[in-house]
Amino acid sequence: MITYLHIRARSERMVKARLHIGHLVFPCIIGRSGRGRIKREGDGKTPVGVFELRQGFFRSDRGRSPAPHVNARPMRKNDGWCEVPASSFYNQHVKLPFRDGHETMWREDEAYDVVFATSHNERPRVKGLGSAIFFHLTRQGSNVTAGCVAVSAGDMLKILNLCGHKVRLAVWPGQGVL
């Protein structure tokens, strides 16, 4: 089982990237502003660094669990993610309805049919340094994310079937080392 998913692109500004697992390469998309070592809430950048994949969610009404050995549970209609820096629940899973600004996980489009939270800005949570950095599915008609890493549904299944229980997402800068 693999433990690292490597995300690489030719420059910091590129939104089309490649996800590498050993000799396998999958196309992926990243944040609308490319990648950056410094992440701010709403800047559209995918943060550079190594992040653990945390709790996963999947839409059971649209398919079954993506892989039996990954940490994913059926999504509920009241699953959300707080994205308000002033909230004490910033960058955390919340139940809807929720008093502060949030992202609704149960979406009409397919982007979160399979989605994994990452450990970005988790310990410690620093208000304003970015929330809801996920590994999820690409959205039909979109070629960017708000800062997440996204792959096609078919590639997600292939990738997850290669993954062990603990997986890290390594987002590399355009040049240099992490």
Side-chain angles (χ1 to χ4, degrees), residues 92-154:
Q92 295 180 60
H93 178 254
V94 295
K95 297 291 182 192
L96 306 180
F98 185 69
R99 69 179 187 267
D100 295 330
H102 60 274
E103 183 160 359
T104 301
M105 305 287 289
W106 190 278
R107 295 169 56 136
E108 292 299 317
D109 66 30
E110 63 279 1
Y112 290 176
D113 284 4
V114 178
V115 58
F116 287 83
T118 69
S119 62
H120 169 73
N121 196 22
E122 181 182 81
R123 288 190 184 117
R125 280 183 180 80
V126 178
K127 295 178 188 281
L129 291 189
S131 65
I133 301 299
F134 298 142
F135 178 47
H136 63 78
L137 304 180
T138 52
R139 204 166 27 104
Q140 188 147 12
S142 179
N143 61 358
V144 297
T145 70
C148 302
V149 175
V151 297
S152 73

Short mmCIF file of all heavy atoms in Angstrom, two decimals, residues 92-154:
data_model
loop_
_atom_site.label_atom_id
_atom_site.label_comp_id
_atom_site.label_asym_id
_atom_site.label_seq_id
_atom_site.Cartn_x
_atom_site.Cartn_y
_atom_site.Cartn_z
N GLN A 92 -13.02 23.25 10.81
CA GLN A 92 -13.46 22.01 11.42
C GLN A 92 -14.79 21.55 10.83
O GLN A 92 -15.58 22.36 10.35
CB GLN A 92 -13.64 22.18 12.92
CG GLN A 92 -12.35 22.48 13.67
CD GLN A 92 -12.61 22.63 15.14
OE1 GLN A 92 -13.09 21.70 15.79
NE2 GLN A 92 -12.30 23.79 15.67
N HIS A 93 -15.00 20.25 10.90
CA HIS A 93 -16.26 19.64 10.50
C HIS A 93 -17.35 20.14 11.45
O HIS A 93 -17.14 20.20 12.65
CB HIS A 93 -16.13 18.11 10.59
CG HIS A 93 -17.38 17.39 10.25
ND1 HIS A 93 -18.16 16.79 11.21
CD2 HIS A 93 -18.00 17.18 9.07
CE1 HIS A 93 -19.20 16.22 10.63
NE2 HIS A 93 -19.13 16.45 9.33
N VAL A 94 -18.49 20.55 10.91
CA VAL A 94 -19.62 21.02 11.72
C VAL A 94 -20.90 20.37 11.21
O VAL A 94 -20.96 19.86 10.10
CB VAL A 94 -19.76 22.57 11.69
CG1 VAL A 94 -18.55 23.24 12.34
CG2 VAL A 94 -19.96 23.08 10.26
N LYS A 95 -21.91 20.42 12.05
CA LYS A 95 -23.24 19.94 11.68
C LYS A 95 -24.10 21.14 11.32
O LYS A 95 -24.10 22.15 12.02
CB LYS A 95 -23.89 19.18 12.84
CG LYS A 95 -23.15 17.93 13.24
CD LYS A 95 -23.25 16.89 12.16
CE LYS A 95 -22.54 15.62 12.58
NZ LYS A 95 -22.36 14.71 11.50
N LEU A 96 -24.84 21.02 10.22
CA LEU A 96 -25.73 22.09 9.76
C LEU A 96 -27.12 21.87 10.32
O LEU A 96 -27.52 20.73 10.53
CB LEU A 96 -25.76 22.10 8.23
CG LEU A 96 -24.39 22.20 7.55
CD1 LEU A 96 -24.56 22.20 6.04
CD2 LEU A 96 -23.61 23.40 8.01
N PRO A 97 -27.87 22.91 10.57
CA PRO A 97 -27.51 24.32 10.35
C PRO A 97 -26.46 24.77 11.35
O PRO A 97 -26.38 24.27 12.48
CB PRO A 97 -28.83 25.07 10.57
CG PRO A 97 -29.64 24.18 11.45
CD PRO A 97 -29.21 22.76 11.14
N PHE A 98 -25.65 25.71 10.90
CA PHE A 98 -24.54 26.21 11.71
C PHE A 98 -24.53 27.72 11.67
O PHE A 98 -24.75 28.32 10.61
CB PHE A 98 -23.22 25.64 11.16
CG PHE A 98 -22.02 25.98 11.98
CD1 PHE A 98 -21.85 25.44 13.25
CD2 PHE A 98 -21.06 26.84 11.49
CE1 PHE A 98 -20.73 25.75 14.00
CE2 PHE A 98 -19.94 27.16 12.23
CZ PHE A 98 -19.78 26.61 13.50
N ARG A 99 -24.27 28.35 12.80
CA ARG A 99 -24.42 29.81 12.92
C ARG A 99 -23.39 30.62 12.13
O ARG A 99 -23.67 31.73 11.70
CB ARG A 99 -24.37 30.21 14.39
CG ARG A 99 -22.99 30.02 15.00
CD ARG A 99 -22.92 30.45 16.47
NE ARG A 99 -21.58 30.40 16.94
CZ ARG A 99 -21.03 29.36 17.55
NH1 ARG A 99 -21.73 28.27 17.75
NH2 ARG A 99 -19.79 29.42 17.96
N ASP A 100 -22.19 30.09 11.96
CA ASP A 100 -21.13 30.82 11.25
C ASP A 100 -21.06 30.37 9.79
O ASP A 100 -21.60 29.33 9.42
CB ASP A 100 -19.79 30.57 11.93
CG ASP A 100 -19.73 31.14 13.34
OD1 ASP A 100 -20.41 32.14 13.60
OD2 ASP A 100 -19.00 30.57 14.18
N GLY A 101 -20.35 31.14 8.97
CA GLY A 101 -20.18 30.79 7.57
C GLY A 101 -19.55 29.42 7.43
O GLY A 101 -18.68 29.05 8.21
N HIS A 102 -20.01 28.69 6.45
CA HIS A 102 -19.55 27.31 6.29
C HIS A 102 -19.70 26.87 4.84
O HIS A 102 -20.37 27.49 4.04
CB HIS A 102 -20.39 26.39 7.18
CG HIS A 102 -21.85 26.44 6.84
ND1 HIS A 102 -22.68 27.38 7.38
CD2 HIS A 102 -22.60 25.71 5.98
CE1 HIS A 102 -23.90 27.21 6.88
NE2 HIS A 102 -23.87 26.22 6.01
N GLU A 103 -19.03 25.79 4.58
CA GLU A 103 -19.19 25.12 3.29
C GLU A 103 -20.12 23.94 3.52
O GLU A 103 -19.96 23.19 4.50
CB GLU A 103 -17.83 24.64 2.78
CG GLU A 103 -17.91 24.01 1.43
CD GLU A 103 -16.57 23.97 0.71
OE1 GLU A 103 -15.57 24.45 1.24
OE2 GLU A 103 -16.57 23.45 -0.41
N THR A 104 -21.09 23.76 2.64
CA THR A 104 -22.00 22.62 2.71
C THR A 104 -21.34 21.46 1.97
O THR A 104 -20.98 21.58 0.81
CB THR A 104 -23.36 22.98 2.07
OG1 THR A 104 -23.92 24.09 2.77
CG2 THR A 104 -24.31 21.81 2.12
N MET A 105 -21.18 20.34 2.66
CA MET A 105 -20.52 19.18 2.06
C MET A 105 -21.44 18.46 1.07
O MET A 105 -20.98 17.97 0.05
CB MET A 105 -20.06 18.21 3.15
CG MET A 105 -19.17 18.85 4.21
SD MET A 105 -17.52 19.21 3.65
CE MET A 105 -16.85 17.59 3.50
N TRP A 106 -22.73 18.39 1.37
CA TRP A 106 -23.70 17.72 0.49
C TRP A 106 -24.02 18.68 -0.64
O TRP A 106 -24.77 19.62 -0.47
CB TRP A 106 -24.95 17.38 1.29
CG TRP A 106 -25.93 16.50 0.58
CD1 TRP A 106 -26.86 16.89 -0.34
CD2 TRP A 106 -26.09 15.10 0.74
NE1 TRP A 106 -27.57 15.81 -0.76
CE2 TRP A 106 -27.13 14.69 -0.12
CE3 TRP A 106 -25.44 14.13 1.51
CZ2 TRP A 106 -27.55 13.37 -0.22
CZ3 TRP A 106 -25.86 12.82 1.42
CH2 TRP A 106 -26.90 12.46 0.57
N ARG A 107 -23.43 18.45 -1.80
CA ARG A 107 -23.54 19.38 -2.92
C ARG A 107 -24.35 18.80 -4.06
O ARG A 107 -24.43 17.58 -4.21
CB ARG A 107 -22.13 19.71 -3.43
CG ARG A 107 -21.29 20.45 -2.42
CD ARG A 107 -19.84 20.52 -2.82
NE ARG A 107 -19.62 21.11 -4.14
CZ ARG A 107 -18.67 21.98 -4.41
NH1 ARG A 107 -17.86 22.40 -3.45
NH2 ARG A 107 -18.52 22.46 -5.62
N GLU A 108 -24.88 19.69 -4.87
CA GLU A 108 -25.61 19.26 -6.07
C GLU A 108 -24.64 18.72 -7.12
O GLU A 108 -24.96 17.77 -7.83
CB GLU A 108 -26.43 20.41 -6.65
CG GLU A 108 -27.58 20.84 -5.76
CD GLU A 108 -28.59 19.73 -5.52
OE1 GLU A 108 -28.93 19.01 -6.48
OE2 GLU A 108 -29.02 19.57 -4.37
N ASP A 109 -23.46 19.34 -7.25
CA ASP A 109 -22.49 18.84 -8.22
C ASP A 109 -21.77 17.61 -7.63
O ASP A 109 -22.03 17.21 -6.50
CB ASP A 109 -21.51 19.93 -8.65
CG ASP A 109 -20.60 20.42 -7.54
OD1 ASP A 109 -20.26 19.64 -6.63
OD2 ASP A 109 -20.20 21.60 -7.57
N GLU A 110 -20.87 17.04 -8.40
CA GLU A 110 -20.22 15.80 -8.02
C GLU A 110 -18.91 15.97 -7.25
O GLU A 110 -18.28 14.99 -6.85
CB GLU A 110 -19.97 14.95 -9.27
CG GLU A 110 -19.04 15.57 -10.29
CD GLU A 110 -19.66 16.62 -11.21
OE1 GLU A 110 -20.86 16.95 -11.09
OE2 GLU A 110 -18.93 17.16 -12.05
N ALA A 111 -18.47 17.19 -7.02
CA ALA A 111 -17.14 17.44 -6.45
C ALA A 111 -16.90 16.71 -5.13
O ALA A 111 -15.81 16.20 -4.88
CB ALA A 111 -16.89 18.93 -6.27
N TYR A 112 -17.90 16.66 -4.26
CA TYR A 112 -17.72 16.03 -2.96
C TYR A 112 -18.40 14.67 -2.87
O TYR A 112 -18.66 14.17 -1.78
CB TYR A 112 -18.23 16.93 -1.85
CG TYR A 112 -17.41 18.18 -1.60
CD1 TYR A 112 -17.82 19.12 -0.67
CD2 TYR A 112 -16.22 18.43 -2.28
CE1 TYR A 112 -17.10 20.26 -0.43
CE2 TYR A 112 -15.49 19.58 -2.05
CZ TYR A 112 -15.93 20.49 -1.13
OH TYR A 112 -15.21 21.63 -0.89
N ASP A 113 -18.65 14.03 -4.00
CA ASP A 113 -19.19 12.67 -3.94
C ASP A 113 -18.20 11.76 -3.23
O ASP A 113 -18.59 10.79 -2.57
CB ASP A 113 -19.48 12.13 -5.34
CG ASP A 113 -20.75 12.73 -5.93
OD1 ASP A 113 -21.37 13.62 -5.29
OD2 ASP A 113 -21.12 12.32 -7.04
N VAL A 114 -16.91 12.05 -3.36
CA VAL A 114 -15.84 11.43 -2.57
C VAL A 114 -14.91 12.57 -2.18
O VAL A 114 -14.38 13.26 -3.05
CB VAL A 114 -15.06 10.36 -3.36
CG1 VAL A 114 -13.92 9.78 -2.51
CG2 VAL A 114 -15.99 9.26 -3.84
N VAL A 115 -14.72 12.79 -0.88
CA VAL A 115 -13.92 13.92 -0.41
C VAL A 115 -13.20 13.55 0.89
O VAL A 115 -13.78 12.88 1.75
CB VAL A 115 -14.79 15.19 -0.22
CG1 VAL A 115 -15.93 14.95 0.74
CG2 VAL A 115 -13.96 16.39 0.20
N PHE A 116 -11.94 13.99 0.99
CA PHE A 116 -11.15 13.75 2.20
C PHE A 116 -10.64 15.08 2.72
O PHE A 116 -10.08 15.88 1.97
CB PHE A 116 -9.95 12.85 1.89
CG PHE A 116 -10.33 11.43 1.65
CD1 PHE A 116 -10.77 11.02 0.40
CD2 PHE A 116 -10.30 10.50 2.67
CE1 PHE A 116 -11.16 9.72 0.16
CE2 PHE A 116 -10.68 9.19 2.45
CZ PHE A 116 -11.11 8.80 1.19
N ALA A 117 -10.82 15.31 4.00
CA ALA A 117 -10.22 16.47 4.65
C ALA A 117 -8.72 16.21 4.75
O ALA A 117 -8.28 15.05 4.76
CB ALA A 117 -10.81 16.66 6.04
N THR A 118 -7.93 17.28 4.82
CA THR A 118 -6.49 17.13 5.04
C THR A 118 -6.12 17.78 6.37
O THR A 118 -6.92 18.49 6.98
CB THR A 118 -5.65 17.81 3.92
OG1 THR A 118 -5.79 19.23 4.03
CG2 THR A 118 -6.08 17.33 2.54
N SER A 119 -4.91 17.55 6.80
CA SER A 119 -4.44 18.11 8.07
C SER A 119 -3.93 19.54 7.93
O SER A 119 -3.39 20.09 8.90
CB SER A 119 -3.35 17.22 8.66
OG SER A 119 -2.22 17.17 7.81
N HIS A 120 -4.12 20.17 6.77
CA HIS A 120 -3.68 21.56 6.60
C HIS A 120 -4.32 22.45 7.66
O HIS A 120 -5.53 22.42 7.88
CB HIS A 120 -4.05 22.08 5.21
CG HIS A 120 -3.87 23.56 5.09
ND1 HIS A 120 -2.61 24.13 5.02
CD2 HIS A 120 -4.74 24.58 5.09
CE1 HIS A 120 -2.75 25.43 4.97
NE2 HIS A 120 -4.03 25.73 5.01
N ASN A 121 -3.50 23.27 8.31
CA ASN A 121 -3.93 24.24 9.32
C ASN A 121 -4.79 23.59 10.40
O ASN A 121 -5.81 24.12 10.81
CB ASN A 121 -4.68 25.41 8.69
CG ASN A 121 -4.80 26.60 9.63
OD1 ASN A 121 -4.03 26.74 10.58
ND2 ASN A 121 -5.78 27.44 9.37
N GLU A 122 -4.31 22.46 10.88
CA GLU A 122 -5.08 21.70 11.86
C GLU A 122 -4.51 21.80 13.28
O GLU A 122 -5.26 21.99 14.23
CB GLU A 122 -5.12 20.23 11.41
CG GLU A 122 -5.90 19.32 12.30
CD GLU A 122 -5.85 17.91 11.81
OE1 GLU A 122 -4.85 17.21 12.09
OE2 GLU A 122 -6.81 17.49 11.14
N ARG A 123 -3.21 21.63 13.41
CA ARG A 123 -2.59 21.65 14.74
C ARG A 123 -1.33 22.48 14.71
O ARG A 123 -0.31 21.99 14.23
CB ARG A 123 -2.26 20.23 15.19
CG ARG A 123 -3.51 19.46 15.55
CD ARG A 123 -3.17 18.15 16.21
NE ARG A 123 -4.39 17.42 16.43
CZ ARG A 123 -4.70 16.26 15.89
NH1 ARG A 123 -3.85 15.67 15.10
NH2 ARG A 123 -5.84 15.68 16.15
N PRO A 124 -1.36 23.68 15.18
CA PRO A 124 -2.54 24.39 15.70
C PRO A 124 -3.34 25.01 14.55
O PRO A 124 -2.78 25.30 13.48
CB PRO A 124 -1.94 25.48 16.57
CG PRO A 124 -0.65 25.82 15.89
CD PRO A 124 -0.14 24.50 15.32
N ARG A 125 -4.61 25.24 14.79
CA ARG A 125 -5.43 25.98 13.83
C ARG A 125 -5.11 27.46 14.00
O ARG A 125 -5.24 27.99 15.08
CB ARG A 125 -6.92 25.74 14.10
CG ARG A 125 -7.40 24.44 13.55
CD ARG A 125 -8.89 24.25 13.77
NE ARG A 125 -9.29 22.98 13.22
CZ ARG A 125 -9.13 21.81 13.83
NH1 ARG A 125 -8.60 21.76 15.03
NH2 ARG A 125 -9.49 20.70 13.25
N VAL A 126 -4.69 28.07 12.91
CA VAL A 126 -4.36 29.49 12.96
C VAL A 126 -5.43 30.21 12.14
O VAL A 126 -5.57 29.96 10.94
CB VAL A 126 -2.95 29.77 12.41
CG1 VAL A 126 -2.66 31.26 12.43
CG2 VAL A 126 -1.91 28.99 13.20
N LYS A 127 -6.17 31.06 12.79
CA LYS A 127 -7.27 31.75 12.14
C LYS A 127 -6.77 32.57 10.95
O LYS A 127 -5.83 33.33 11.07
CB LYS A 127 -8.01 32.63 13.14
CG LYS A 127 -8.69 31.78 14.22
CD LYS A 127 -9.38 32.60 15.26
CE LYS A 127 -9.86 31.75 16.39
NZ LYS A 127 -11.06 31.01 16.18
N GLY A 128 -7.38 32.32 9.79
CA GLY A 128 -7.03 33.05 8.59
C GLY A 128 -6.03 32.37 7.67
O GLY A 128 -5.79 32.84 6.56
N LEU A 129 -5.43 31.25 8.11
CA LEU A 129 -4.41 30.59 7.28
C LEU A 129 -4.98 29.49 6.39
O LEU A 129 -4.23 28.68 5.85
CB LEU A 129 -3.27 30.04 8.14
CG LEU A 129 -2.39 31.09 8.80
CD1 LEU A 129 -1.18 30.45 9.45
CD2 LEU A 129 -1.96 32.16 7.81
N GLY A 130 -6.29 29.48 6.19
CA GLY A 130 -6.89 28.57 5.23
C GLY A 130 -7.68 27.44 5.86
O GLY A 130 -7.28 26.87 6.87
N SER A 131 -8.82 27.18 5.26
CA SER A 131 -9.69 26.11 5.75
C SER A 131 -10.17 25.27 4.58
O SER A 131 -10.08 25.68 3.41
CB SER A 131 -10.89 26.71 6.48
OG SER A 131 -11.70 27.46 5.59
N ALA A 132 -10.69 24.11 4.91
CA ALA A 132 -11.33 23.22 3.93
C ALA A 132 -10.42 22.89 2.75
O ALA A 132 -10.83 22.96 1.60
CB ALA A 132 -12.66 23.82 3.46
N ILE A 133 -9.18 22.53 3.02
CA ILE A 133 -8.29 22.05 1.97
C ILE A 133 -8.53 20.55 1.86
O ILE A 133 -8.14 19.78 2.74
CB ILE A 133 -6.80 22.37 2.27
CG1 ILE A 133 -6.60 23.87 2.43
CG2 ILE A 133 -5.90 21.79 1.18
CD1 ILE A 133 -6.95 24.70 1.19
N PHE A 134 -9.21 20.16 0.79
CA PHE A 134 -9.66 18.79 0.61
C PHE A 134 -8.99 18.12 -0.58
O PHE A 134 -8.47 18.79 -1.48
CB PHE A 134 -11.18 18.76 0.36
CG PHE A 134 -12.02 19.28 1.48
CD1 PHE A 134 -13.17 20.02 1.20
CD2 PHE A 134 -11.72 19.04 2.81
CE1 PHE A 134 -13.99 20.49 2.21
CE2 PHE A 134 -12.53 19.51 3.84
CZ PHE A 134 -13.67 20.23 3.54
N PHE A 135 -9.08 16.79 -0.60
CA PHE A 135 -8.75 15.97 -1.76
C PHE A 135 -10.11 15.45 -2.23
O PHE A 135 -10.79 14.73 -1.51
CB PHE A 135 -7.82 14.83 -1.35
CG PHE A 135 -7.46 13.88 -2.46
CD1 PHE A 135 -7.04 14.33 -3.70
CD2 PHE A 135 -7.51 12.51 -2.25
CE1 PHE A 135 -6.69 13.46 -4.72
CE2 PHE A 135 -7.16 11.62 -3.25
CZ PHE A 135 -6.75 12.09 -4.49
N HIS A 136 -10.54 15.88 -3.42
CA HIS A 136 -11.89 15.56 -3.87
C HIS A 136 -11.95 15.32 -5.37
O HIS A 136 -10.92 15.29 -6.05
CB HIS A 136 -12.88 16.63 -3.42
CG HIS A 136 -12.65 18.00 -4.00
ND1 HIS A 136 -13.00 18.34 -5.28
CD2 HIS A 136 -12.10 19.11 -3.45
CE1 HIS A 136 -12.71 19.61 -5.50
NE2 HIS A 136 -12.14 20.11 -4.41
N LEU A 137 -13.16 15.18 -5.88
CA LEU A 137 -13.37 14.93 -7.30
C LEU A 137 -13.43 16.23 -8.09
O LEU A 137 -13.85 17.26 -7.56
CB LEU A 137 -14.69 14.16 -7.52
CG LEU A 137 -14.83 12.84 -6.78
CD1 LEU A 137 -16.19 12.22 -7.10
CD2 LEU A 137 -13.70 11.89 -7.13
N THR A 138 -13.04 16.15 -9.35
CA THR A 138 -13.17 17.32 -10.22
C THR A 138 -14.66 17.57 -10.49
O THR A 138 -15.48 16.65 -10.46
CB THR A 138 -12.45 17.11 -11.56
OG1 THR A 138 -12.87 15.88 -12.14
CG2 THR A 138 -10.94 17.10 -11.39
N ARG A 139 -14.96 18.82 -10.70
CA ARG A 139 -16.33 19.26 -10.97
C ARG A 139 -16.46 19.44 -12.48
O ARG A 139 -15.62 20.09 -13.11
CB ARG A 139 -16.57 20.58 -10.25
CG ARG A 139 -17.98 20.90 -9.95
CD ARG A 139 -18.09 22.06 -8.94
NE ARG A 139 -16.98 22.98 -8.94
CZ ARG A 139 -17.02 24.18 -9.49
NH1 ARG A 139 -18.09 24.62 -10.10
NH2 ARG A 139 -15.97 24.98 -9.41
N GLN A 140 -17.51 18.88 -13.03
CA GLN A 140 -17.73 18.99 -14.48
C GLN A 140 -17.76 20.47 -14.88
O GLN A 140 -18.42 21.29 -14.27
CB GLN A 140 -19.03 18.32 -14.87
CG GLN A 140 -19.20 18.24 -16.35
CD GLN A 140 -19.94 16.99 -16.76
OE1 GLN A 140 -20.52 16.30 -15.95
NE2 GLN A 140 -19.92 16.71 -18.04
N GLY A 141 -16.98 20.80 -15.91
CA GLY A 141 -16.94 22.16 -16.43
C GLY A 141 -15.99 23.09 -15.70
O GLY A 141 -15.89 24.26 -16.03
N SER A 142 -15.28 22.60 -14.69
CA SER A 142 -14.36 23.44 -13.94
C SER A 142 -12.93 22.92 -14.09
O SER A 142 -12.71 21.72 -14.07
CB SER A 142 -14.73 23.49 -12.46
OG SER A 142 -13.81 24.29 -11.75
N ASN A 143 -11.98 23.83 -14.22
CA ASN A 143 -10.58 23.41 -14.33
C ASN A 143 -9.72 23.97 -13.21
O ASN A 143 -8.51 24.02 -13.33
CB ASN A 143 -10.01 23.78 -15.70
CG ASN A 143 -10.03 25.26 -15.95
OD1 ASN A 143 -10.51 26.04 -15.12
ND2 ASN A 143 -9.51 25.67 -17.08
N VAL A 144 -10.36 24.38 -12.11
CA VAL A 144 -9.64 24.87 -10.92
C VAL A 144 -10.42 24.46 -9.67
O VAL A 144 -11.57 24.05 -9.74
CB VAL A 144 -9.46 26.40 -10.92
CG1 VAL A 144 -8.62 26.87 -12.08
CG2 VAL A 144 -10.80 27.12 -10.90
N THR A 145 -9.76 24.62 -8.52
CA THR A 145 -10.42 24.48 -7.23
C THR A 145 -10.21 25.78 -6.46
O THR A 145 -9.52 26.69 -6.93
CB THR A 145 -9.85 23.31 -6.40
OG1 THR A 145 -8.52 23.65 -5.97
CG2 THR A 145 -9.80 22.01 -7.21
N ALA A 146 -10.74 25.84 -5.26
CA ALA A 146 -10.54 27.01 -4.40
C ALA A 146 -9.28 26.87 -3.56
O ALA A 146 -9.00 27.73 -2.73
CB ALA A 146 -11.76 27.21 -3.51
N GLY A 147 -8.52 25.79 -3.79
CA GLY A 147 -7.28 25.54 -3.04
C GLY A 147 -7.07 24.07 -2.75
O GLY A 147 -6.04 23.67 -2.23
N CYS A 148 -8.03 23.26 -3.12
CA CYS A 148 -7.96 21.82 -2.91
C CYS A 148 -7.19 21.14 -4.03
O CYS A 148 -6.76 21.78 -4.98
CB CYS A 148 -9.38 21.24 -2.87
SG CYS A 148 -10.44 21.96 -1.59
N VAL A 149 -7.09 19.82 -3.94
CA VAL A 149 -6.54 18.98 -5.00
C VAL A 149 -7.69 18.09 -5.47
O VAL A 149 -8.35 17.46 -4.65
CB VAL A 149 -5.37 18.12 -4.50
CG1 VAL A 149 -4.90 17.15 -5.58
CG2 VAL A 149 -4.22 18.99 -4.02
N ALA A 150 -7.94 18.05 -6.78
CA ALA A 150 -9.06 17.28 -7.31
C ALA A 150 -8.63 16.39 -8.46
O ALA A 150 -7.79 16.79 -9.28
CB ALA A 150 -10.18 18.22 -7.76
N VAL A 151 -9.22 15.20 -8.52
CA VAL A 151 -8.98 14.24 -9.59
C VAL A 151 -10.33 13.72 -10.10
O VAL A 151 -11.36 13.89 -9.44
CB VAL A 151 -8.11 13.05 -9.12
CG1 VAL A 151 -6.72 13.51 -8.71
CG2 VAL A 151 -8.78 12.28 -7.99
N SER A 152 -10.31 13.07 -11.25
CA SER A 152 -11.54 12.50 -11.80
C SER A 152 -12.04 11.36 -10.91
O SER A 152 -11.27 10.78 -10.14
CB SER A 152 -11.29 11.98 -13.21
OG SER A 152 -10.52 10.79 -13.16
N ALA A 153 -13.31 11.03 -11.04
CA ALA A 153 -13.90 9.95 -10.23
C ALA A 153 -13.20 8.62 -10.50
O ALA A 153 -12.89 7.88 -9.56
CB ALA A 153 -15.40 9.84 -10.52
N GLY A 154 -12.94 8.33 -11.76
CA GLY A 154 -12.26 7.08 -12.09
C GLY A 154 -10.86 7.01 -11.50
O GLY A 154 -10.45 5.97 -10.96
#
